[in-house]
Amino acid sequence: MADDAVGEAAPGVNTALRSTGTAMAYLQDEKSDIDIVPALNLGDLDLTTDEFILDEVDIHIQANLEDELVKEALQTGVDLRQYSKQVEAELQRIEQASIKDYIKESQNIASLHNQITACDAILERMEGMLSGFQGDLSSISSEIQTLQQQSVSMSLRLKNRQAVRSQLSQLVDELVVPSTMISVILDSPVTEQDFLEQLHELNNKINFAKELSFRETLACADIQDIVDRLRVKAVSKIREFILQKIYSFRKPMTNYQIPQNTLLKYRFFYQFLLANERSVAKEIRDEYVDTMSKIYYSYFKSYSGRLLKVQYEDVADKDDLMGVEDTAKKGFFSKPSLKSRNTIFTLGQRGAVLSPAELEGPILIPHAAQRGDCRYPYETLFRSQHYALLDNGCREFLFLVDFFMVTGNSALDLFNNVMGRTLNMFLKNMSTYVCDCYDSIAVFLCIHIILRFKAITAKRNIPALDKYWEAVLEMLWPRFELILEMNIQSIRNTDPQKLGVLDTRPHYITRRYAEFSSAIVSINQTFPNERTNALLGQLQIEVENFVLRMAAEFPSRRDQLIFLINNYDMMLGVLMERAADDSKEVEGFQQLLLARTQEFIEEILAPPFGGMISFVKESEALMEKGQLDKLKNDEVRITQLVRGFSTSWKQAVEALSQDVMRSFTNFKNGTSIIQGALTQLIQYYHGFHKILSQPTFRSLAVRSELINLHHLMVEVKKHKPNF
């Protein structure tokens, strides 16, 4: 409506504006036709005030005179009075014309005024309408703010109600005992999966009811009775099931590991009993411990007894020592021959029991061995018995930890309750065996079997048998050391004159030592023991002394050296088959063999070439002192030496080679000695050449009869035996 009023008033307004513009344009045109001389600018001067200052008047006058129009008027000599009158008349005329024009346009102006008034009324109404709109908007904003506050309040109430609903819903769900649970607990067998699931739910409800009872929640009383009845029924069924499984262990020829695996599938049953009926849980635990303790004891007692029936009948006794002579007698019943006795100190295939394949191999089946008429050394039976113990012990410990939910010392105590009787039986049997055992290799193998089994249980993280391993080692180590000390003492007390006919071949006592020492050293490499090394060192010293005592029984030094070399070589060869090349025993006998071999070479070279050798040594000593001229007159001696060597050296070398090969049992060692002797002979003959080339002997005619050194080396090589 306001827009229509404005539209109606617009033509009149435009007309009035056009009239006004016409009048202004007219005045402008008129003014342009009038030559107006600007009047003096005296508006700023106040001639009526008392503060009139002539100097300021002069300044204004001066400023007006500088105006361009004024300058032009003054220059042209215009009469200013006349000119001002003319301007005034012109202005009056223009004023009259403007008045007429205004009068002429008065209607348009009046119409414009009316239109403006109408527009004001329209705008006033619009202002009222907008004010109403503004009020409405303020009201709407207030309502929106109120709605927002109500929305926040409702959201908070909803959140609180949802939280309460969640807790109440959980509470109701935990409190409600569904009919499915009741029927399954009462009627279903305990082996069904539904029973196990509902038992979990029942356990949760029992725990929740206990928690609510602590908070004194009244709703708890509504379900307490039915929950208790279900708990009693579940405990009764579980007790009957577990005891039935435990009783099944007692049936003859039963593999108890099968029902154990079944119990592990239902380990939650014992957890339920432990949480809700500790007396029944204790009853089941005690029944299991009693049953399994008897089963293990019976099994291992029977197994150990049957194993002893397949042991070798011939075992070592207190007279089977390293230093016992071959002529020893034992009353009416004679001792087995020395050949049989040597097996006590020989490792042979007995060391295979420590190989990984056999160490963790299947246990022996005694009745099968009896049918096959097989016999085994004690360490093999010991390995089978203790591997069965290790396997069953590890399995039992893991079962106890898993099913009865025990850890740490509690698990170890429970394991000892189950296996303690069996372990005590083992220790008692071991004590009986050790007290009458003189087979040091068997004892040492048993020690290392235990050390390896101990490492296996540590790798499996099974600490249950640690104390038993230590107890066995505390029995075996002292016995081994005692037997070793007895052997050392037997060698120390050996009388060489009671050992029969003298023979330069290796002695049976040194062979016993070599076999025994190599066996102990090879076994001891995996788990070194300083006490064992110390005892072996003492044994080696006694054996070396024994060899020297035996050698002293031979009348000639040559036979003494042959005996020493044969024994050192035999002991070194046996040791190097099993022991490391850098072991203390190997290095010691290598040095002894080298020293005696060098002495023997000098001994066998002396008969055929002793004159030349002594001359060379004597001459070299005089040459060092610069006194070689003292032999200047030994021309006859030198001639005999040169001609004697030339005529007899081949026969002497041949005889020497044959003699050496007859004297030494080890052909390889004999060959080495022959090569060393021939090499030493060539060195002596080279020294002989060197001495005769000195100025003192250059004039000797016999020098021409010397054999060429290169020719001698070629001929000597022909006499080296090849084996």
Side-chain angles (χ1 to χ4, degrees), residues 610-622:
M612 181 189 69
I613 294 172
S614 62
F615 176 78
V616 169
K617 292 180 178 179
E618 182 182 356
S619 300
E620 288 178 347
L622 292 174

Side-chain angles (χ1 to χ4, degrees), residues 676-696:
L678 296 179
T679 302
Q680 188 67 30
L681 176 62
I682 292 173
Q683 290 179 353
Y684 279 133
Y685 199 70
H686 178 264
F688 191 54
H689 265 267
K690 185 177 179 181
I691 292 169
L692 294 184
S693 66
Q694 297 298 315
T696 305

